[in-house]
């Protein structure tokens, strides 16, 4: 098969397998691995040679470490020092050290024990971050802790790669030659540091002056590839060179530009690396020794999960987030494949041992999505059972005239307004980061889900006058509105809305006032656009007020038909046509009196019986 035909086969397999794996909730990494297995010797046998593909794919790992270095700003690392060096550092040392100690006690070579122990201590950065991003949990407590551990693991790969050659079996020992190698390595690192500080910023300024996106991308790839080539030539790790350059450029003004230029190549080449790992997966071992491999996979997941849970609890993480961190990071990672390949080249692992370890890591990664779902399901069942056993045990909260559900940017603004006007309010939030922010600002924020009836009772919702639903998620806000309508029908409810459909759904649940969090700012921007196009400021301001008034009146028309998709679209088109006609006539009539000087750009319209909506178009 020609090289071009191989590229076509690999791309076709990836295009088919990755979307399917993501749809099944397995993630892109598993998709690439499945693509490799599908076209490899144990699948359709379309491609048998994986070494060349693996070498090209290793460039993806190099680019990944370059981006890790770019993101490792000293200020950011210092801000995360406790979870990164404490939680992450302890996880790597305890997991790797425990496995290494057991293997040495069983008589394994120290180098083999080191590479297996510390290789299996690593988790999949690409897999876990993608999973957290898809679930919207990157800012949650367990998401931040998982990111800190992953960051430390990525950094720890560099000393692991540097230490590994020291364990390699050697027939002769020449102090002079070893000293010379150490001196060359030190000079190379010093050269990269000097170039990163003084030469590369000048190079990128010169490239930026050319105003060519293609040349900027080429310059970024040139720097990474040249550094990797130089480090390989003197016997050091390519990844070490790329990481150093990235870290040195992390504080430069070109950091975001470099990351944006490298990202597409990193993703594609890293995918190629995983395809090559899938190609090299020896599934014959799974059929010959299923018990051994499944036991190895189960032991890997169990040991890592147990140690991660204990370490997270030691650092003050609550049981549920600690459990989530443990399950998220229990699998093996992509850098384990790199370490095992280097170890095999150094004769620290046999080909069979490498195949067994690669297969165990792959199986652990495949099991992770199912374990995460199972953990979530068990946690929800336990929480529900606890709520049923003690439904009224929520801690009582002092009564206040206003309840605010959600302390995001929207809720923070409302709480701040009430505070400066001396109006007491009770704020409920589920995000610990936002709770900590509120307390830092002097605002008491209580942890809890406002859709739970027992929490609303504990918050004295029956004595409150107004509930402000300010949560980010539309489904959550509807769930809160349903609970309030059923249990607290006299509590007046005001809610933010995401769009027209969300507005209408809230209106159906009896929410008194519905405000879109983008509608008013969009109208204000429209007013600025009109003025920029030459429309007199007074006329633009009046037009916006009339536009808003028409929109609010038309919400009732949409509300009557919003359950019928076709009728709703027809009504919306008719409304737009009517408003075009109204404003066409306004353009041919004398302008109304402009507002007084100093008036705000978009004052409030007097409240009407119909709810204030989020717009009809």
């Amino acid at each position: 098969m020609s090289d071009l035909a191989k590229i076509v086969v690999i791309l076709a397999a990836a295009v088919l397998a990755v979307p399917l794996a993501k749809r099944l909730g397995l993630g892109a990494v598993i998709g690439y691995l499945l693509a490799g297995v599908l076209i490899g010797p144990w699948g359709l046998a379309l491609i048998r040679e994986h070494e060349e593909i693996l070498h090209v794919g290793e460039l993806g790992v190099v680019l990944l470490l370059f981006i890790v270095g770019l993101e490792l700003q000293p200020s950011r690392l210092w801000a995360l020092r406790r979870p990164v060096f404490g939680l992450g550092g302890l996880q790597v040392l305890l997991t790797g050290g425990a496995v290494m100690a057991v293997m040495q006690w069983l008589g394994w070579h120290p180098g083999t024990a080191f590479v297996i122990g510390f290789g299996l201590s690593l988790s999949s950065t690409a897999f876990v971050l993608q999973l957290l991003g898809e679930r919207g949990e990157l800012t949650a407590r367990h998401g931040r802790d998982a990111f800190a551990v992953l960051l430390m693991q990525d950094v720890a790969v560099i000393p692991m790669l540097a230490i590994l050659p020291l364990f390699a079996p050697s027939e002769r020992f020449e102090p002079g030659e070893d000293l010379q190698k150490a001196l060359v390595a030190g000079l190379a690192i010093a050269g990269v540091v000097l170039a990163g500080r003084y030469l590369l910023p000048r190079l990128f300024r010169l490239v930026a002056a050319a105003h060519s996106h293609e040349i900027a991308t080429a310059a970024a790839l040139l720097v990474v590839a040249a550094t990797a080539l130089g480090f390989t030539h003197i016997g050091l790790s390519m990844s070490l060179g790329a990481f150093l350059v990235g870290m040195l450029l992390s504080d430069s003004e070109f950091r975001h530009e470099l990351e944006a230029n490298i990202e597409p190549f990193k993703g594609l080449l890293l995918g190629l690396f995983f395809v090559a790992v899938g190609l090299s997966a020896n599934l014959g071992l799974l059929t010959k020794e299923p018990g051994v491999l499944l036991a190895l996979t189960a032991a890997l997941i169990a040991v890592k999960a147990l140690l991660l849970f204990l370490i997270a609890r030691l650092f003050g993480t609550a049981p549920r987030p600690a459990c989530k961190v443990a399950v998220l990071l229990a699998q093996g990672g992509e850098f384990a494949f790199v370490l095992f390949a280097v170890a095999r080249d150094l004769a620290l692992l046999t080909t069979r041992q490498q195949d067994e370890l690669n297969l165990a890591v792959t199986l652990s990664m495949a099991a992770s999505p199912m374990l995460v779902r199972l953990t979530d399901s068990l946690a929800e069942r336990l929480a529900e059972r606890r709520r049923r056993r003690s439904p009224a045990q929520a801690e009582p909260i002092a009564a206040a005239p206003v309840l605010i559900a959600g302390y995001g940017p929207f809720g923070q603004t409302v709480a701040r307004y009430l505070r400066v006007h001396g109006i007491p309010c009770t704020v409920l939030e589920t995000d610990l980061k936002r709770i900590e922010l509120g307390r830092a600002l002097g605002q008491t924020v209580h942890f809890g889900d406002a859709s739970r009836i027992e929490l609303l009772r504990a918050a004295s919702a029956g004595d409150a006058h107004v509930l402000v639903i300010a949560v980010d998620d539309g489904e959550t806000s509807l769930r809160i509105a349903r609970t309030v309508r059923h249990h607290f029908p006299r509590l007046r409810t005001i809610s933010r809305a995401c769009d027209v459909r969300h507005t209408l759904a809230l209106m159906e649940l009896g929410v008194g006032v519905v405000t879109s969090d983008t509608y008013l700012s969009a109208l204000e921007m429209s007013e600025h656009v009109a003025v920029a196009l030459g429309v007199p400021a007074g006329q633009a301001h009046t037009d916006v007020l009339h536009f808003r008034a028409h929109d609010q009146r038309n919400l009732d028309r949409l509300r009557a038909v919003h359950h019928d998709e076709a009728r709703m679209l027809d009504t919306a088109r008719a409304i737009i046509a009517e408003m075009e006609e109204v404003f066409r006539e306004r353009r041919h009539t004398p302008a109304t009196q402009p507002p007084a000087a100093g008036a705000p750009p978009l004052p409030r319209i007097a409240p009407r019986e119909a709810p204030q909506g989020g717009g009809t178009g």
Side-chain angles (χ1 to χ4, degrees):
M1 184 180 291
S2 66
D3 291 339
L4 181 59
K6 290 179 183 178
I7 292 173
V8 170
V9 169
I10 291 171
L11 291 176
V15 167
L16 291 173
V18 173
L20 179 61
K22 293 187 73 173
R23 182 178 291 273
L24 295 174
L26 299 176
V29 174
I30 300 298
Y32 285 118
L33 291 170
L34 290 175
V37 171
L38 177 66
I39 62 178
W42 298 97
L44 300 176
L46 298 176
I47 299 177
R48 295 182 179 274
E49 308 83 8
H50 66 274
E51 289 292 339
E52 293 180 4
I53 299 171
L54 188 61
H55 288 317
V56 175
E58 283 175 356
L59 292 176
V61 179
V62 171
L63 294 177
L64 175 62
L65 274 170
F66 175 72
I67 290 181
V68 169
L70 281 176
E71 293 176 347
L72 200 63
Q73 292 173 286
S75 57
R76 188 182 188 189
L77 190 60
W78 180 251
L80 294 171
R81 62 191 181 279
R82 188 172 184 271
V84 170
F85 296 110
L87 183 60
L90 200 57
Q91 183 273 325
V92 172
L93 289 174
L94 284 182
T95 307
V99 176
M100 181 178 177
V102 171
M103 293 189 67
Q104 280 199 270
W105 180 70
L106 293 173
W108 288 71
H109 183 273
T112 304
F114 173 83
V115 72
I116 293 177
F118 284 91
L120 294 179
S121 73
L122 303 174
S123 306
S124 175
T125 301
F127 181 82
V128 175
L129 290 184
Q130 182 186 36
L131 187 62
L132 286 171
E134 290 172 352
R135 295 162 62 91
E137 296 176 350
L138 281 168
T139 57
R141 173 63 188 268
H142 64 278
R144 298 197 305 273
D145 285 350
F147 173 78
V149 174
L150 291 170
L151 185 59
M152 185 64 214
Q153 289 179 356
D154 291 345
V155 174
V157 171
I158 303 304
M160 289 180 195
L161 290 170
I163 293 172
L164 210 52
L166 301 179
F167 290 105
S170 177
E171 296 180 0
R172 56 191 179 89
F173 176 72
E174 296 184 5
E177 184 177 342
D178 291 342
L179 182 62
Q180 182 181 359
K181 288 181 178 179
L183 182 61
V184 170
L187 289 174
I189 293 173
V192 168
V193 171
L194 291 174
R197 288 293 183 191
Y198 303 106
L199 178 62
L200 293 182
R202 289 187 171 88
L203 170 65
F204 288 122
R205 289 190 190 101
L206 181 66
V207 170
H211 299 289
S212 172
H213 178 70
E214 294 81 6
I215 297 301
T217 303
L221 291 171
L222 171 64
V223 168
V224 179
T227 307
L229 181 63
F231 268 56
T232 304
H233 185 67
I234 61 174
L236 294 177
S237 164
M238 295 190 297
S239 302
L240 174 62
F243 175 79
L244 285 175
V245 173
M247 191 169 64
L248 291 168
L249 292 171
S250 63
D251 280 325
S252 74
E253 63 269 33
F254 304 103
R255 182 172 77 92
H256 296 295
E257 176 73 14
L258 287 168
E259 188 172 352
N261 290 337
I262 290 291
E263 185 67 34
F265 297 94
K266 184 267 293 183
L268 188 59
L269 290 172
L270 197 59
L272 187 62
F273 173 78
F274 289 126
V275 170
V277 171
L279 278 167
S280 62
N282 188 352
L283 297 186
L285 292 175
L286 189 59
T287 57
K288 292 178 181 177
E289 304 173 354
V292 173
L293 285 167
L294 292 176
L296 179 59
T297 304
L300 167 63
I301 293 173
V303 170
K304 288 186 71 173
L306 177 61
L307 289 175
L308 277 161
F309 178 79
L310 295 176
I311 295 168
R313 293 289 291 133
L314 181 66
F315 275 78
T317 306
R320 187 170 179 178
C323 185
K324 287 189 174 183
V325 171
V327 175
L328 276 169
L329 302 178
Q331 81 288 126
E334 54 269 12
F335 286 121
F337 299 133
V338 178
L339 285 173
F340 297 154
V342 173
R344 187 202 59 190
D345 293 339
L346 294 173
L348 294 173
L349 288 177
T350 64
T351 301
R352 183 182 180 85
Q353 289 170 339
Q354 182 194 9
D355 289 343
E356 290 174 344
L357 291 168
N358 282 349
L359 202 53
V361 170
T362 303
L363 291 173
S364 71
M365 293 170 71
S368 282
M370 293 177 283
L371 289 174
V372 170
R373 290 179 182 176
L374 180 62
T375 303
D376 287 346
S377 177
L378 290 174
E380 287 298 328
R381 290 181 183 179
L382 289 174
E384 184 63 29
R385 187 177 300 174
R386 195 177 300 115
R387 286 197 292 266
R388 288 176 180 175
R389 287 179 178 176
S390 54
Q393 287 185 357
E395 185 180 348
I397 302 170
V402 179
L403 285 178
I404 301 176
Y407 196 65
F410 195 96
Q412 290 168 24
T413 303
V414 176
R416 191 169 69 250
Y417 176 88
L418 295 174
R419 183 176 176 181
V420 299
H421 284 80
I423 303 173
C425 66
T426 298
V427 184
L428 303 174
E429 175 59 66
T430 57
D431 189 331
L432 292 176
K433 186 176 181 181
R434 290 177 176 176
I435 294 174
E436 292 168 4
L437 173 63
R439 290 176 178 171
L441 296 174
Q443 174 71 55
T444 301
V445 183
H446 301 275
F447 178 82
D449 181 359
S451 65
R452 290 174 53 195
I453 176 60
E454 61 270 19
L455 185 67
L456 289 173
R457 285 175 178 155
S460 304
D463 299 324
H465 299 293
V466 179
L467 167 67
V468 179
I469 302 177
V471 295
D472 300 329
D473 182 60
E475 286 300 321
T476 303
S477 67
L478 292 174
R479 195 162 60 246
I480 295 171
R482 291 189 194 100
T483 303
V484 170
R485 182 183 185 182
H486 183 68
H487 296 280
F488 305 98
R490 295 183 180 180
L491 180 60
R492 188 180 183 191
T493 307
I494 299 173
S495 178
R496 67 184 287 193
C498 303
D499 50 34
V500 178
R501 293 186 181 279
H502 190 204
T503 299
L504 298 174
L506 288 166
M507 289 169 62
E508 280 208 329
L509 290 172
V511 177
V513 179
V514 181
T515 303
S516 170
D517 47 358
T518 56
Y519 181 69
L520 297 182
S521 55
L523 285 183
E524 186 176 357
M525 182 175 288
S526 302
E527 181 179 335
H528 288 304
V529 171
V531 172
L533 293 174
V535 177
Q539 180 182 338
H541 179 75
T542 305
D543 284 347
V544 165
L545 293 179
H546 280 280
F547 181 91
R548 183 181 175 193
H550 278 284
D551 250 3
Q552 290 173 352
R553 282 193 290 271
N554 286 323
L555 271 176
D556 285 333
R557 294 171 61 183
L558 287 176
R559 181 181 176 183
V561 297
H562 82 279
H563 291 296
D564 188 326
E565 180 79 20
R567 289 183 64 193
M568 183 174 176
L569 289 175
D570 289 340
T571 305
R573 282 192 287 264
I575 288 172
I576 293 171
E578 291 169 11
M579 291 178 69
E580 287 177 343
E581 181 62 29
V582 168
F583 280 90
R584 191 179 300 115
E585 292 177 1
R586 281 178 53 81
R587 286 196 295 271
H588 297 293
T589 58
T592 57
Q593 184 69 23
L602 193 60
R604 292 182 178 272
I605 294 178
R608 303 167 59 251
E609 291 184 4
Q612 297 180 15
T616 57

